[in-house]
mmCIF file with all atom_site columns, all heavy atoms in Angstrom:
data_model
loop_
_atom_site.group_PDB
_atom_site.id
_atom_site.type_symbol
_atom_site.label_atom_id
_atom_site.label_alt_id
_atom_site.label_comp_id
_atom_site.label_asym_id
_atom_site.label_entity_id
_atom_site.label_seq_id
_atom_site.pdbx_PDB_ins_code
_atom_site.Cartn_x
_atom_site.Cartn_y
_atom_site.Cartn_z
_atom_site.occupancy
_atom_site.B_iso_or_equiv
_atom_site.pdbx_formal_charge
_atom_site.auth_seq_id
_atom_site.auth_comp_id
_atom_site.auth_asym_id
_atom_site.auth_atom_id
_atom_site.pdbx_PDB_model_num
ATOM   1  N N   . GLY A 1 80  ? -8.218  1.965  15.069 1.00 98.00 ? 80  GLY A N   1
ATOM   2  C CA  . GLY A 1 80  ? -7.925  2.520  16.301 1.00 98.00 ? 80  GLY A CA  1
ATOM   3  C C   . GLY A 1 80  ? -9.199  3.217  16.910 1.00 98.00 ? 80  GLY A C   1
ATOM   4  O O   . GLY A 1 80  ? -9.461  3.106  18.022 1.00 98.00 ? 80  GLY A O   1
ATOM   5  N N   . MET A 1 81  ? -9.891  3.934  16.001 1.00 98.00 ? 81  MET A N   1
ATOM   6  C CA  . MET A 1 81  ? -11.052 4.641  16.415 1.00 98.00 ? 81  MET A CA  1
ATOM   7  C C   . MET A 1 81  ? -12.137 3.663  16.841 1.00 98.00 ? 81  MET A C   1
ATOM   8  O O   . MET A 1 81  ? -12.861 4.060  17.939 1.00 98.00 ? 81  MET A O   1
ATOM   9  C CB  . MET A 1 81  ? -11.610 5.589  15.300 1.00 98.00 ? 81  MET A CB  1
ATOM   10 C CG  . MET A 1 81  ? -10.874 6.900  15.061 1.00 98.00 ? 81  MET A CG  1
ATOM   11 S SD  . MET A 1 81  ? -11.001 7.972  16.585 1.00 98.00 ? 81  MET A SD  1
ATOM   12 C CE  . MET A 1 81  ? -12.651 8.562  16.361 1.00 98.00 ? 81  MET A CE  1
ATOM   13 N N   . TYR A 1 104 ? -5.392  12.958 20.212 1.00 98.00 ? 104 TYR A N   1
ATOM   14 C CA  . TYR A 1 104 ? -5.695  12.778 18.734 1.00 98.00 ? 104 TYR A CA  1
ATOM   15 C C   . TYR A 1 104 ? -6.975  13.490 18.288 1.00 98.00 ? 104 TYR A C   1
ATOM   16 O O   . TYR A 1 104 ? -7.931  13.238 18.872 1.00 98.00 ? 104 TYR A O   1
ATOM   17 C CB  . TYR A 1 104 ? -5.686  11.188 18.412 1.00 98.00 ? 104 TYR A CB  1
ATOM   18 C CG  . TYR A 1 104 ? -6.187  10.935 17.011 1.00 98.00 ? 104 TYR A CG  1
ATOM   19 C CD1 . TYR A 1 104 ? -5.571  11.605 15.919 1.00 98.00 ? 104 TYR A CD1 1
ATOM   20 C CD2 . TYR A 1 104 ? -7.299  10.096 16.739 1.00 98.00 ? 104 TYR A CD2 1
ATOM   21 C CE1 . TYR A 1 104 ? -5.921  11.227 14.664 1.00 98.00 ? 104 TYR A CE1 1
ATOM   22 C CE2 . TYR A 1 104 ? -7.664  9.818  15.505 1.00 98.00 ? 104 TYR A CE2 1
ATOM   23 C CZ  . TYR A 1 104 ? -6.991  10.361 14.512 1.00 98.00 ? 104 TYR A CZ  1
ATOM   24 O OH  . TYR A 1 104 ? -7.537  10.193 13.229 1.00 98.00 ? 104 TYR A OH  1
ATOM   25 N N   . ASN A 1 152 ? -0.482  13.771 20.673 1.00 96.00 ? 152 ASN A N   1
ATOM   26 C CA  . ASN A 1 152 ? -0.662  14.317 19.249 1.00 96.00 ? 152 ASN A CA  1
ATOM   27 C C   . ASN A 1 152 ? -1.149  15.681 19.286 1.00 96.00 ? 152 ASN A C   1
ATOM   28 O O   . ASN A 1 152 ? -2.195  16.023 19.725 1.00 96.00 ? 152 ASN A O   1
ATOM   29 C CB  . ASN A 1 152 ? -1.613  13.431 18.463 1.00 96.00 ? 152 ASN A CB  1
ATOM   30 C CG  . ASN A 1 152 ? -1.152  12.784 17.262 1.00 96.00 ? 152 ASN A CG  1
ATOM   31 O OD1 . ASN A 1 152 ? -0.417  13.490 16.467 1.00 96.00 ? 152 ASN A OD1 1
ATOM   32 N ND2 . ASN A 1 152 ? -1.493  11.619 17.091 1.00 96.00 ? 152 ASN A ND2 1
ATOM   33 N N   . ASP A 1 177 ? -4.144  5.818  25.683 1.00 99.00 ? 177 ASP A N   1
ATOM   34 C CA  . ASP A 1 177 ? -3.836  5.653  24.196 1.00 99.00 ? 177 ASP A CA  1
ATOM   35 C C   . ASP A 1 177 ? -2.378  5.559  24.063 1.00 99.00 ? 177 ASP A C   1
ATOM   36 O O   . ASP A 1 177 ? -1.621  6.620  24.230 1.00 99.00 ? 177 ASP A O   1
ATOM   37 C CB  . ASP A 1 177 ? -4.409  6.790  23.432 1.00 99.00 ? 177 ASP A CB  1
ATOM   38 C CG  . ASP A 1 177 ? -4.213  6.546  21.868 1.00 99.00 ? 177 ASP A CG  1
ATOM   39 O OD1 . ASP A 1 177 ? -3.244  5.913  21.579 1.00 99.00 ? 177 ASP A OD1 1
ATOM   40 O OD2 . ASP A 1 177 ? -4.867  7.229  20.961 1.00 99.00 ? 177 ASP A OD2 1
ATOM   41 N N   . SER A 1 199 ? -3.721  2.598  18.094 1.00 98.00 ? 199 SER A N   1
ATOM   42 C CA  . SER A 1 199 ? -4.031  2.359  16.722 1.00 98.00 ? 199 SER A CA  1
ATOM   43 C C   . SER A 1 199 ? -3.070  1.508  16.198 1.00 98.00 ? 199 SER A C   1
ATOM   44 O O   . SER A 1 199 ? -1.787  1.879  16.001 1.00 98.00 ? 199 SER A O   1
ATOM   45 C CB  . SER A 1 199 ? -4.076  3.860  16.066 1.00 98.00 ? 199 SER A CB  1
ATOM   46 O OG  . SER A 1 199 ? -3.989  3.637  14.709 1.00 98.00 ? 199 SER A OG  1
ATOM   47 N N   . THR A 1 201 ? -2.802  0.554  13.332 1.00 98.00 ? 201 THR A N   1
ATOM   48 C CA  . THR A 1 201 ? -2.445  1.132  11.986 1.00 98.00 ? 201 THR A CA  1
ATOM   49 C C   . THR A 1 201 ? -0.986  1.733  11.950 1.00 98.00 ? 201 THR A C   1
ATOM   50 O O   . THR A 1 201 ? -0.334  1.786  10.883 1.00 98.00 ? 201 THR A O   1
ATOM   51 C CB  . THR A 1 201 ? -3.445  2.279  11.631 1.00 98.00 ? 201 THR A CB  1
ATOM   52 O OG1 . THR A 1 201 ? -4.792  1.812  12.019 1.00 98.00 ? 201 THR A OG1 1
ATOM   53 C CG2 . THR A 1 201 ? -3.446  2.670  10.240 1.00 98.00 ? 201 THR A CG2 1
ATOM   54 N N   . LYS A 1 202 ? -0.576  2.146  13.163 1.00 98.00 ? 202 LYS A N   1
ATOM   55 C CA  . LYS A 1 202 ? 0.632   2.841  13.262 1.00 98.00 ? 202 LYS A CA  1
ATOM   56 C C   . LYS A 1 202 ? 1.929   2.027  13.419 1.00 98.00 ? 202 LYS A C   1
ATOM   57 O O   . LYS A 1 202 ? 2.132   1.218  12.672 1.00 98.00 ? 202 LYS A O   1
ATOM   58 C CB  . LYS A 1 202 ? 0.599   3.946  14.276 1.00 98.00 ? 202 LYS A CB  1
ATOM   59 C CG  . LYS A 1 202 ? -0.751  4.706  14.446 1.00 98.00 ? 202 LYS A CG  1
ATOM   60 C CD  . LYS A 1 202 ? -1.066  5.486  12.921 1.00 98.00 ? 202 LYS A CD  1
ATOM   61 C CE  . LYS A 1 202 ? -2.391  6.237  13.084 1.00 98.00 ? 202 LYS A CE  1
ATOM   62 N NZ  . LYS A 1 202 ? -2.934  6.687  11.803 1.00 98.00 ? 202 LYS A NZ  1
HETATM 63 N N1  . PLP B 2 .   ? -4.914  7.427  18.499 1.00 64.00 ? 401 PLP B N1  1
HETATM 64 C C1  . PLP B 2 .   ? -3.827  8.152  17.827 1.00 64.00 ? 401 PLP B C1  1
HETATM 65 C C2  . PLP B 2 .   ? -2.790  8.560  18.794 1.00 64.00 ? 401 PLP B C2  1
HETATM 66 C C3  . PLP B 2 .   ? -3.856  8.209  16.471 1.00 64.00 ? 401 PLP B C3  1
HETATM 67 O O1  . PLP B 2 .   ? -2.741  9.013  15.906 1.00 64.00 ? 401 PLP B O1  1
HETATM 68 C C4  . PLP B 2 .   ? -4.849  7.591  15.668 1.00 64.00 ? 401 PLP B C4  1
HETATM 69 C C5  . PLP B 2 .   ? -4.784  7.952  14.280 1.00 64.00 ? 401 PLP B C5  1
HETATM 70 O O2  . PLP B 2 .   ? -4.106  8.821  13.658 1.00 64.00 ? 401 PLP B O2  1
HETATM 71 C C6  . PLP B 2 .   ? -5.835  6.955  16.260 1.00 64.00 ? 401 PLP B C6  1
HETATM 72 C C7  . PLP B 2 .   ? -5.828  6.927  17.616 1.00 64.00 ? 401 PLP B C7  1
HETATM 73 C C8  . PLP B 2 .   ? -7.034  6.500  15.465 1.00 64.00 ? 401 PLP B C8  1
HETATM 74 O O3  . PLP B 2 .   ? -6.523  5.325  14.785 1.00 64.00 ? 401 PLP B O3  1
HETATM 75 P P1  . PLP B 2 .   ? -7.127  4.750  13.372 1.00 64.00 ? 401 PLP B P1  1
HETATM 76 O O4  . PLP B 2 .   ? -6.624  5.756  12.256 1.00 64.00 ? 401 PLP B O4  1
HETATM 77 O O5  . PLP B 2 .   ? -6.439  3.364  13.268 1.00 64.00 ? 401 PLP B O5  1
HETATM 78 O O6  . PLP B 2 .   ? -8.534  4.607  13.621 1.00 64.00 ? 401 PLP B O6  1
#
Side-chain angles (χ1 to χ4, degrees):
M81 281 298 284
Y104 171 55
N152 239 314
D177 181 340
S199 164
T201 315
K202 317 299 181 194

